[in-house]
Amino acid sequence: MIDNILDKKIYISGHKGMVGSACLRLLKSKGYNNIIYKTSSELDLRNQSDVDRFIKDENPSIVINAAAKVGGIMENHKFPYRFLLENMQIQNNLISSCVKNKIKKFIFLGSSCIYPKFSPQPIKEEYLLTSSLEETNQWYAIAKISGVKLVEAIRIKYKYDYVSLMPTNLYGINDNFDLNSSHVLPAMIRKFHEAKIQNKPNVYLWGTGTPKREFLFVDDLANAVEITLKSTLPLSLYNVGCNYDISISDLALKIKSVVGYDGNIIWDKTKPDGTPRKLMDSSKIINHGFKPNYNLDTGIKITYEWFKKYFER
C-alpha cells in the first residue's frame, strides 16, 4: 500500500471519456482529493512540447493514461493512419514526459485487441506477439502494443512502477453511441432503441452473431485501476475482465429485452465478424484483489438508462 495515497497528486488523461470519467468518479467517491485533468482543447496530448510543459509544471505523483483515439470496426478500417499515429503520439508523449520528470508511477490503459486473432482461450498475458492480429483493428492494436512494451522497457531500465492494464470489451456510462464509430454493445442499444421508438419491424446487425465476446462494465475497470494505484504490482501487464463470455447473438437478445423492442433481428452476413472468440484470463489481477461488481444484465440496464437520460436530451 502506498502511503498517503489519497493526498497524492493524480493526473487522469481522457477524463471526459468513458474510462477516464469512470476513474474520476470512483476516485472522487473514495476520497482522493488531489486529482488534476485537462480537456483536449486545454491540452493537446498529441503535442510533445505541450505535454512536457504540463507534466513539468504540475509534477503529478501518478499518471493514469485513459486518453486514446477509439472506435469500432468501421472507424479502424477507414482511418488506419490516424488510429496508429494519434494513439502512439498520445501515449508516447505522456510516457516520455513522465520519465523525463521522474514520475515513478504510471498506469497505461489499453485493450484486449493487442492479442492475436486466434489466441488460445482464455487469453493469457503471455500470448502477446505470438501470432497475427485481427485485421479490422490492427492499427489501434499495434499502437497499444507499443505502449505495453514501452512500459515494460521502463520497468527494466528505471525500475519505475509503470503498469499496463488491458481490459476486455468495455461499456457503460459515457459510452460512444455513434453508429459510425461505436463498439458492438452501445451500437446495439442505439439500434434497438431507435427501432422501438420508430416502430421498425427489423433491426439489422453485422455478421453472423456467432462470435463470442467478454464484456466488462467500465466502473469495474475503474476498480482495477484503483487497485493498481494503491499497490506496487510485480508485473508490467495485467488483463482485466470478468472471466465470462457470450455470443453476439445472445447479447443482442439481452439488449433487445432490456430496451423492450418487439421486432426481428436480421443478421447481415456480408459484414465481418472479427475475431471468433476473445475471452481473457484475468487471474493475475484477480489474485491482487480485483473482482467485478456488475453482471452483464445489470450493466446493460444502467447503460441503457444513462443513454436515454443523457444521449437524447
Side-chain angles (χ1 to χ4, degrees):
M1 181 73 69
I2 297 174
D3 293 336
N4 302 317
I5 186 65
L6 297 180
D7 298 325
K8 297 287 186 183
K9 182 183 280 191
I10 301 170
Y11 167 53
I12 302 176
S13 71
H15 74 284
K16 283 188 167 292
M18 178 174 64
V19 173
S21 63
C23 292
L24 183 59
R25 281 196 309 274
L26 177 72
L27 296 185
K28 283 186 173 181
S29 73
K30 292 289 188 74
Y32 292 80
N33 53 40
N34 198 2
I35 305 171
I36 58 173
Y37 40 85
K38 294 284 186 181
T39 65
S40 57
S41 60
E42 293 171 324
L43 175 63
D44 184 356
L45 295 175
R46 297 168 301 179
N47 185 304
Q48 181 72 76
S49 61
D50 288 354
V51 175
D52 282 345
R53 189 179 306 111
F54 172 75
I55 295 296
K56 182 179 179 180
D57 291 347
E58 292 291 345
N59 191 33
S61 297
I62 302 166
V63 171
I64 301 170
N65 180 20
K69 179 172 178 56
V70 297
I73 290 175
M74 185 184 299
E75 282 278 288
N76 271 267
H77 178 70
K78 287 175 65 177
F79 305 107
Y81 174 74
R82 289 180 61 191
F83 269 83
L84 181 56
L85 180 66
E86 291 186 18
N87 279 297
M88 287 196 299
Q89 286 175 325
I90 291 167
Q91 68 203 30
N92 291 350
N93 290 346
L94 276 172
I95 292 171
S96 63
S97 291
C98 287
V99 171
K100 287 176 193 173
N101 290 280
K102 296 182 172 58
I103 311 301
K104 296 182 179 178
K105 191 169 185 70
F106 190 103
I107 300 173
F108 175 65
L109 295 168
S111 164
S112 60
C113 72
I114 66 170
Y115 294 110
K117 179 175 182 177
F118 296 109
S119 282
Q121 304 289 315
I123 303 170
K124 299 178 183 292
E125 290 89 345
E126 294 79 11
Y127 298 159
L128 181 65
L129 296 175
T130 57
S131 186
S132 59
L133 299 167
E134 162 59 42
E135 297 86 353
T136 57
N137 57 15
Q138 61 179 310
W139 316 105
Y140 181 77
I142 289 171
K144 290 299 178 180
I145 290 170
S146 70
V148 168
K149 300 308 285 186
L150 190 56
V151 163
E152 183 182 354
I154 290 165
R155 288 177 69 99
I156 293 169
K157 179 171 176 58
Y158 297 101
K159 312 302 181 188
Y160 288 176
D161 185 15
Y162 282 36
V163 176
S164 298
L165 298 181
M166 295 299 115
T168 190
N169 299 284
L170 297 170
Y171 69 99
I173 294 169
N174 281 325
D175 210 335
N176 172 23
F177 294 89
D178 186 323
L179 294 179
N180 292 318
S181 60
S182 60
H183 292 103
V184 59
L185 193 153
M188 283 186 182
I189 286 178
R190 180 167 180 177
K191 284 184 177 182
F192 283 120
H193 176 78
E194 291 183 347
K196 175 186 174 181
I197 62 175
Q198 295 169 15
N199 294 314
K200 291 183 178 179
N202 303 310
V203 165
Y204 294 85
L205 301 176
W206 277 30
T208 64
T210 57
K212 301 188 78 173
R213 293 290 182 272
E214 178 184 18
F215 295 94
L216 185 73
F217 192 60
V218 70
D219 290 51
D220 281 327
L221 173 62
N223 286 327
V225 169
E226 198 211 2
I227 289 170
T228 310
L229 201 65
K230 297 188 298 185
S231 309
T232 301
L233 300 181
L235 302 175
S236 67
L237 175 61
Y238 292 87
N239 292 339
V240 185
C242 61
N243 289 341
Y244 164 79
D245 61 1
I246 183 174
S247 71
I248 296 299
S249 59
D250 285 344
L251 174 69
L253 292 175
K254 278 184 179 290
I255 295 174
K256 177 185 176 185
S257 175
V258 169
V259 172
Y261 173 66
D262 295 326
N264 305 307
I265 298 172
I266 298 177
W267 294 96
D268 182 356
K269 297 177 182 178
T270 66
K271 297 294 192 297
D273 271 333
T275 305
R277 191 183 186 201
K278 196 163 64 172
L279 176 65
M280 306 269 272
D281 180 342
S282 301
S283 57
K284 287 184 172 65
I285 193 71
I286 289 170
N287 289 338
H288 289 283
F290 172 69
K291 181 182 178 182
N293 295 319
Y294 298 87
N295 63 36
L296 187 57
D297 294 300
T298 300
I300 291 172
K301 289 174 184 175
I302 294 171
T303 305
Y304 182 50
E305 289 305 313
W306 183 87
F307 168 83
K308 288 190 295 182
K309 186 175 180 180
Y310 291 98
F311 193 76
E312 294 205 320
R313 61 184 175 178

